[in-house]
Amino acid sequence: MPTAPTAAAPRFGVWAIVHGGWATDRHPDDPCDPSWARNRDAIQLAEELGFDSTLVAQHTINPQADNRDQLEAWSASAGLAAVTERIEIITAIKPYLYHPVVLAKQALQIEDISQGRFAINLVNAWYKPELERAGIGFAGHDQRYFYGEEWLAIVRGLISGEEVTFKGRFFDIDHYQLKPASRFRERPTIYVGGESDPAKDLVAHSADVWFINGQPPHEVQRLIGDVRARPRTGAPVRFGLSAYLIARETEEEAQAVLEEFWGYAALDAQAKAHVFENADHEAVMFQTFKKYPAIDTNGGTAAGLVGAYEQVAERIGAFQELGIELFMLQFQPFEAEMRRFAEHVIPRVRAAAVPA
């Protein structure tokens, strides 16, 4: 089962290719294929290459276009749990899409299939049509976090094997208990995303790990300090960072690849505009994206992990010194660039972490 990381051992994860690719659909060497078969093979390869985690993002419909394929996160995660042996499987969940009792039962089943390698990533929904067109409705930003706080309190108790009675504003749970609970540890790990004040309060109160969107080190340092200053009981919050990574032999080569992707971004402008038009602009991440334009999702290249192998390894080390313990990475072409990172950057990070 996953163990707490040490300062000398940062963890590396990959975003599963739930949309079929990350930066663009136009890359000649990366076909748009979010199928179960491709994701299975890609995550098995990630495990073989030594990656520690995978994050399976959740959407029921593809935010870029209704006619595009989209991997279903929870059934896929159960499948990944069955065909891997070591890698941590982190599955995103938007609370309005699942009743907490039902979700907790699914989480415990995947925990059992994976033998203690499963984790939940609670995210506040931002793509409005996903909920509105289903008839669920899209509540205001803070309202969604109030709902999520009650939802997570119930899920946390149930996945810990507790008998839960909860009477709140949104839920009325009466002496509910799920068996079997985890056979391998106290409960699955809880990750939380979001950078608004309600999100940071939820992190301080209930999360094990906080996922921060890719952005420059001084912003990451500020965010970590903010959460660490909030009241909390139990073990300290741990921190993860999302980033899109481009590493090459030289900085010039890496910057040339980045420039190529900015060209693709210009061609993808219409699809990106559709995403932003249908997003909740109260979500802090969209404000951050305007401040730090980047390639790919969740901050992408704004984290600055673009450069020569040594440069990227040094920047990872600098983020680790700020408190980042898990780097959740996006690549394109996915399989080839994931292998390049494993072969050329991870060994440099590990070597730098070993005391002289």
Side-chain angles (χ1 to χ4, degrees):
M1 69 182 182
T3 58
T6 65
R11 295 192 295 148
F12 297 107
V14 295
W15 287 69
I17 38 180
V18 298
H19 307 309
W22 283 112
T24 181
D25 290 339
R26 301 172 185 273
H27 199 290
D29 299 321
D30 197 20
C32 182
D33 177 11
S35 65
W36 154 247
R38 185 186 181 194
N39 274 273
R40 175 200 61 208
D41 294 348
I43 302 310
Q44 287 179 322
L45 175 60
E47 183 174 70
E48 178 186 327
L49 292 172
F51 285 88
D52 303 286
S53 300
T54 183
L55 174 57
V56 186
Q58 184 197 40
H59 284 289
T60 54
I61 54 178
N62 193 306
Q64 295 193 24
D66 290 357
N67 62 356
R68 292 184 49 167
D69 290 352
Q70 175 71 44
L71 187 76
E72 198 292 301
W74 281 73
S75 55
S77 294
L80 290 173
V83 299
T84 56
E85 297 180 354
R86 184 191 57 80
I87 199 166
E88 179 188 31
I89 300 161
I90 308 168
T91 308
I93 177 65
K94 301 178 179 75
Y96 277 93
L97 292 177
Y98 286 87
H99 189 280
V101 166
V102 176
L103 188 283
K105 183 63 175 177
Q106 290 178 263
L108 285 174
Q109 187 63 61
I110 302 176
E111 169 80 352
D112 204 54
I113 295 169
S114 68
Q115 300 186 7
R117 294 181 288 118
F118 186 62
I120 295 168
N121 177 35
L122 186 145
V123 293
N124 191 1
W126 58 264
Y127 184 59
K128 294 187 287 186
E130 194 165 35
L131 299 181
E132 289 175 338
R133 286 159 48 188
I136 297 169
F138 196 84
H141 179 275
D142 290 1
Q143 174 89 347
R144 296 199 305 278
Y145 272 105
F146 298 149
Y147 183 95
E149 184 175 4
E150 288 194 9
W151 186 96
L152 186 56
I154 295 163
V155 169
R156 184 183 176 110
L158 290 172
I159 65 175
S160 300
E162 300 171 5
E163 182 183 277
V164 173
T165 294
F166 185 98
K167 298 187 183 299
R169 180 178 173 186
F170 303 102
F171 298 103
D172 187 351
I173 309 297
D174 185 27
H175 293 91
Y176 221 99
Q177 189 172 29
L178 300 176
K179 294 294 182 182
S182 178
R183 307 175 196 271
F184 307 96
R185 51 183 173 168
E186 179 184 348
R187 58 168 172 77
T189 305
I190 296 171
Y191 292 75
V192 171
E195 294 171 14
S196 65
D197 276 327
K200 288 183 279 193
D201 284 340
L202 183 60
V203 168
H205 185 261
S206 301
D208 300 309
V209 186
W210 185 29
F211 268 135
I212 300 170
N213 288 315
Q215 49 205 291
H218 70 276
E219 294 284 13
V220 172
Q221 183 176 32
R222 177 185 61 81
L223 290 166
I224 289 175
D226 187 340
V227 165
R228 282 177 170 166
R230 295 178 186 240
R232 179 177 174 87
T233 58
V237 178
R238 306 193 316 269
F239 302 96
L241 181 72
S242 177
Y244 183 86
L245 192 139
I246 301 172
R248 292 292 187 274
E249 287 286 351
T250 68
E251 183 178 13
E252 291 75 17
E253 289 177 279
Q255 291 299 327
V257 174
L258 178 61
E259 190 64 26
E260 176 186 350
F261 277 107
W262 280 116
Y264 292 138
L267 297 174
D268 291 335
Q270 185 174 351
K272 297 297 183 185
H274 175 79
V275 172
F276 279 91
E277 286 168 7
N278 289 283
D280 175 17
H281 291 279
E282 291 185 42
V284 171
M285 71 173 181
F286 287 99
Q287 300 166 26
T288 304
F289 298 164
K290 290 180 180 179
K291 187 176 180 181
Y292 300 109
I295 295 298
D296 224 343
T297 72
N298 293 81
T301 53
L305 299 186
V306 176
Y309 299 137
E310 291 290 350
Q311 289 175 310
V312 171
E314 289 171 4
R315 290 168 190 169
I316 287 170
F319 275 120
Q320 189 189 4
E321 289 180 4
L322 297 179
I324 298 299
E325 63 117 280
L326 173 60
F327 295 84
M328 191 58 64
L329 304 174
Q330 298 173 347
F331 303 99
Q332 192 170 31
F334 186 80
E335 292 86 350
E337 291 302 306
M338 180 171 63
R339 184 181 295 277
R340 181 193 299 273
F341 178 78
E343 292 178 353
H344 296 284
V345 180
I346 290 181
R348 287 172 163 85
V349 174
R350 302 292 189 216
V354 175

